[in-house]
């Protein structure tokens, strides 16, 4: 499976300590601005359908706002119950003021994406 690098956001769009949701093709993507930098994950909790971008950040973990499972933003690993499955994480780079994320092609269609050259 190959990926495409997609310009998702500007760094100034996401205050430190917060996450934000983006729709990239069919992917609901969360980008988090932590004390350790920016991270990208699937926005949907692996337990039930909740948006992790609305969760609470602590270091490089996010706590799901519905039932409180914590996920490691570097690995996607579920660190506490009730979630037991990881969430997908995506390679992210910052170039200048742009956040670029490596998106699996399975999520991409040709409409409505901001593709990096
Ligand atoms: S929906 Fe996220 S822990 Fe239940």
């Amino acid at each position: 499976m190959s990926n495409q690098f997609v310009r998702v956001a500007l760094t100034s769009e996401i205050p430190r300590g917060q996450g934000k949701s983006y729709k990239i093709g069919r992917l609901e993507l969360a980008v988090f601005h932590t004390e350790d930098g920016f991270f990208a994950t699937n926005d949907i909790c692996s337990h039930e359908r909740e948006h992790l971008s609305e969760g609470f950040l602590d270091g490089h973990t996010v706590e799901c706002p519905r039932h409180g499972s914590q996920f490691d933003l570097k690995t996607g690993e579920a660190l506490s119950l009730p979630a037991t499955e990881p969430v997908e994480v995506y390679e992210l780079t910052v170039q200048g003021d742009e956040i670029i994320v490596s998106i699996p092609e399975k999520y991409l269609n040709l409409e409505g994406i901001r593709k990096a050259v």
Side-chain angles (χ1 to χ4, degrees), residues 55-94:
F56 312 102
L57 290 177
D58 183 12
H60 58 272
T61 67
V62 64
E63 181 181 314
C64 177
R66 187 173 300 187
H67 303 118
S69 284
Q70 291 184 312
F71 295 90
D72 185 321
L73 296 174
K74 294 182 178 178
T75 65
E77 181 185 0
L79 302 173
S80 59
L81 297 171
T84 56
E85 297 295 319
V87 292
E88 287 185 341
V89 295
Y90 311 107
E91 181 185 343
L92 178 154
T93 59
V94 175

Side-chain angles (χ1 to χ4, degrees), residues 36-51:
D36 296 345
F38 290 90
F39 295 95
T41 73
N42 195 303
D43 193 22
I44 305 304
C45 183
S46 64
H47 179 234
E48 289 181 3
R49 190 175 167 77
E50 183 58 83
H51 293 269

